[in-house]
Amino acid sequence: METETLKNTALSHVHIALGAKMVPFAGYYMPVQYQGLKAEHECVRTGVGVFDVSHMGEFILKGPKALDLIQKVTSNDASKLTPGRAQYSCLPNGKGGIVDDLIVYKFDDEKYLLVVNASNIEKDWNWITQHNDMGVEMTNASDNYSLLAIQGPKAAEAMQSLTSTDLSTLKFYHFEVGDFAGCSNVIISATGYTGSGGFEIYVKNEDAEKVWNKVFEAGKEYGIQPIGLGARDTLRLEMGYCLYGNDIDDTTSPLEAGLGWITKFDKDFVNKEFLAKQKEAGVTRKLVAFELVDKGIPRHDYPILDANDNVIGKVTSGTMSPSLDKAIGLGYVPVELATEGSEIFVQVRNKSLKAVVVKLPFYKG
Amino acid sequence: MNIPANLKYTKDHEWVKIEGDIVTVGVTDFAQSELGDIVFVEVETEGETLDQEEVFGTIEAVKTVSDLFMPLGGEIVEFNTEIEANPELVNTDPYGAGWMVKVKISDASQVEELLDAEAYTALVG
């Protein structure tokens, strides 16, 4: 059992009152499920649902050198950002792995927001601080902000009455700071980790419950539902989005993980030289998506085998896909087996089940 | 929480319906509710004789995998193939259409070790 004290979000009591099943996750007491995972998953794919993801970490970086620090610690090219735009990126470590994946928001030339995984807040903070030899003013605002992910194809329509920001024209990975549910200075971001569109709303903790209630009032006629972390995981996995600690970690390189598109070698960053060499030489293993052909469900850490029962890798994420009703997974395999259509096997208990490498996303909308 | 008085129970949240030396086994309402949406039930021990507490199969929810344990020793004489095709029956009708296996028990004295509805209610309450 966990001996450290779990943190509550500003909304934990609301989830309990709604009958959510609460679990410890990344040091927080979080709702994993309300009415049922499959129904919640379906709600986000076809309507609109709300996740409390207040456990995520927020760092504010300010000053004339803020961009320089971000360029140094992240792999994507943040100089391409303009005010009101966000970017998916990662923090390479010094050994070919990944400290964390994150989103970088640009407010203006001297103010940025980094949104990181809850489980890595302290690690990321220490890592970035360690590289801050340029006097960037850093604030860890993680305990002050709540984050609601309002996701699904009906999100914009359902939430429009709450804000003067035109949600229908806010493009993916763009954001505005505006009014929302009677609160000012709210970050309204057209981001999310579900593949079904929608928004992430950053509000101060003291406003969280008020905003939550207004979101549910406004969304009522659209059938809005609270969604737990269980469905968050199946939704992101159907898109093939990486989950830190499962699909990427301190030992996996962004190139192996298929994150070459956020690894930009025309700028300087931590461990660039190593990754550039790896790119030139070619990776030896790759994160692939696969579907099981035989009956069964792949799970995190199950061995991946070749046709001769040799262990060639490991499943990093796996589930029964609620949208596709197929057993799907991600895992690392040798590069020669990483092409679409390759036959691999997953060891499920005492059996070797046939699987086939497929192209992402699993769920195509 | 539905805990029928006419069934026996185990600490592993299985129910047992005793009809002579043939018993029907499933998971309880509490178990299905804790597991959430059941997506796969695997039983490949049909025809085998297993000891009490031995694993006879696996039940998988979207996010979790759990073993199924023999509440009583005996031979697995039937597996409910309906739940292979429709695992959600375990959620919707855990004591009825969601039953898992029928077992021809080898030692009737083991029945004494099972919990009655009252004891099981106390366990999950």
Side-chain angles (χ1 to χ4, degrees):
Chain A
M1 288 302 285
E2 296 268 329
T3 48
E4 62 174 321
T5 317
L6 289 174
K7 285 186 182 175
N8 284 316
T9 75
L11 295 165
S12 291
H13 64 285
V14 175
H15 307 312
I16 293 165
L18 285 167
K21 185 181 290 179
M22 304 292 286
V23 297
F25 181 83
Y28 288 78
Y29 196 46
M30 299 297 289
V32 68
Q33 168 186 316
Y34 301 81
Q35 74 205 71
L37 196 159
K38 283 166 90 171
E40 291 166 32
H41 181 109
E42 177 73 8
C43 174
V44 172
R45 283 279 181 255
T46 60
V48 53
V50 185
F51 306 77
D52 176 12
V53 280
S54 303
H55 59 313
M56 302 291 285
E58 292 90 9
F59 303 157
I60 298 163
L61 273 57
K62 281 185 184 170
K65 298 282 191 185
L67 177 62
D68 292 345
L69 177 58
I70 291 166
Q71 288 291 67
K72 185 173 170 185
V73 295
T74 67
S75 59
N76 208 339
D77 186 358
S79 73
K80 296 279 196 280
L81 285 170
T82 52
R85 294 202 65 167
Q87 180 182 72
Y88 182 61
S89 193
C90 81
L91 303 172
N93 67 17
K95 305 171 289 184
I98 298 172
V99 179
D100 201 3
D101 61 338
L102 76 166
I103 298 179
V104 179
Y105 289 83
K106 177 172 183 169
F107 291 82
D108 59 49
D109 286 344
E110 298 198 9
K111 185 183 175 191
Y112 293 81
L113 169 70
L114 310 185
V115 178
V116 304
N117 283 300
S119 51
N120 293 332
I121 291 174
E122 196 183 337
K123 181 177 78 164
D124 294 354
W125 178 262
N126 292 339
W127 178 256
I128 299 168
T129 306
Q130 189 187 315
H131 290 89
N132 183 13
D133 52 9
M134 42 196 102
V136 174
E137 183 194 328
M138 289 176 56
T139 311
N140 182 353
S142 304
D143 287 341
N144 306 328
Y145 279 89
S146 293
L147 173 54
L148 300 185
I150 305 168
Q151 300 279 297
K154 294 182 184 165
E157 202 186 336
M159 294 298 112
Q160 190 58 68
S161 66
L162 296 178
T163 177
S164 55
T165 294
D166 185 352
L167 296 178
S168 64
T169 56
L170 195 61
K171 289 192 204 126
F172 197 46
Y173 271 78
H174 287 235
F175 71 98
E176 275 188 24
V177 179
D179 62 291
F180 191 89
C183 301
S184 52
N185 282 318
V186 174
I187 301 170
I188 304 164
S189 170
T191 48
Y193 225 50
T194 63
S196 281
F199 305 91
E200 293 183 302
I201 307 289
Y202 297 81
V203 297
K204 294 193 188 74
N205 283 346
E206 52 267 35
D207 294 328
E209 190 168 353
K210 180 175 112 181
V211 171
W212 174 276
N213 289 333
K214 291 207 169 188
V215 162
F216 277 84
E217 274 170 37
K220 196 175 175 198
E221 59 179 301
Y222 298 88
I224 199 165
Q225 295 292 334
I227 314 295
L229 292 181
R232 185 171 168 81
D233 191 48
T234 52
L235 288 158
R236 70 92 196 164
L237 183 49
E238 285 183 346
M239 298 306 296
Y241 297 155
C242 288
L243 174 63
Y244 193 88
N246 280 36
D247 313 301
I248 51 176
D249 62 27
D250 292 300
T251 68
T252 61
S253 109
L255 303 176
E256 293 171 332
L259 298 178
W261 64 282
I262 59 161
T263 309
K264 300 294 165 63
F265 292 104
D266 47 9
K267 63 156 219 174
D268 210 19
F269 62 93
V270 169
N271 216 26
K272 173 184 169 179
E273 214 169 295
F274 176 92
L275 292 173
K277 272 188 200 150
Q278 188 179 55
K279 186 179 180 180
E280 201 186 311
V283 294
T284 56
R285 61 170 188 169
K286 261 180 142 173
L287 186 66
V288 295
F290 60 85
E291 291 177 4
L292 280 203
V293 177
D294 292 334
K295 211 165 160 52
I297 303 172
R299 303 286 183 182
H300 179 67
D301 267 353
Y302 283 5
I304 299 178
L305 314 173
D306 65 13
N308 302 316
D309 281 347
N310 300 305
V311 176
I312 53 166
K314 252 185 190 179
V315 175
T316 54
S317 289
T319 193
M320 182 64 93
S321 155
S323 299
L324 308 171
D325 203 23
K326 280 180 185 171
I328 61 171
L330 301 175
Y332 286 92
V333 300
V335 70
E336 53 275 19
L337 285 170
T339 47
E340 201 183 334
S342 293
E343 201 167 83
I344 56 173
F345 297 82
V346 178
Q347 190 184 325
V348 178
R349 293 175 281 280
N350 55 352
K351 286 183 301 187
S352 171
L353 303 182
K354 192 192 285 184
V356 61
V357 174
V358 298
K359 232 172 123 172
L360 285 173
F362 294 107
Y363 176 76
K364 293 173 180 74
Chain B
M1 197 65 60
N2 182 11
I3 302 174
N6 62 328
L7 303 177
K8 299 284 187 187
Y9 299 88
T10 71
K11 290 188 179 68
D12 301 315
H13 307 288
E14 286 161 350
W15 57 263
V16 184
K17 185 180 178 187
I18 297 159
E19 291 162 301
D21 64 348
I22 301 288
V23 305
T24 308
V25 178
V27 301
T28 64
D29 190 25
F30 174 81
Q32 71 76 19
S33 151
E34 284 295 301
L35 290 167
D37 296 309
I38 308 295
V39 290
F40 190 48
V41 180
E42 184 176 67
V43 173
E44 296 188 321
T45 47
E46 198 173 345
E48 291 180 27
T49 299
L50 301 174
D51 289 336
Q52 190 177 25
E53 307 269 306
E54 262 196 274
V55 173
F56 72 85
T58 312
I59 182 167
E60 302 202 32
V62 182
K63 296 284 294 167
T64 56
V65 185
S66 309
D67 286 330
L68 294 164
F69 299 97
M70 290 292 274
L72 302 163
E75 182 192 348
I76 304 212
V77 291
E78 193 179 344
F79 167 49
N80 180 8
T81 49
E82 270 297 299
I83 59 171
E84 238 181 342
N86 302 298
E88 64 277 7
L89 288 172
V90 179
N91 292 115
T92 55
D93 192 7
Y95 299 112
W99 67 273
M100 300 198 164
V101 291
K102 293 193 180 190
V103 178
K104 187 173 197 305
I105 56 171
S106 359
D107 178 1
S109 73
Q110 288 176 347
V111 171
E112 306 288 314
E113 299 165 32
L114 298 175
L115 307 173
D116 61 17
E118 198 180 336
Y120 184 67
T121 305
L123 180 76
V124 300

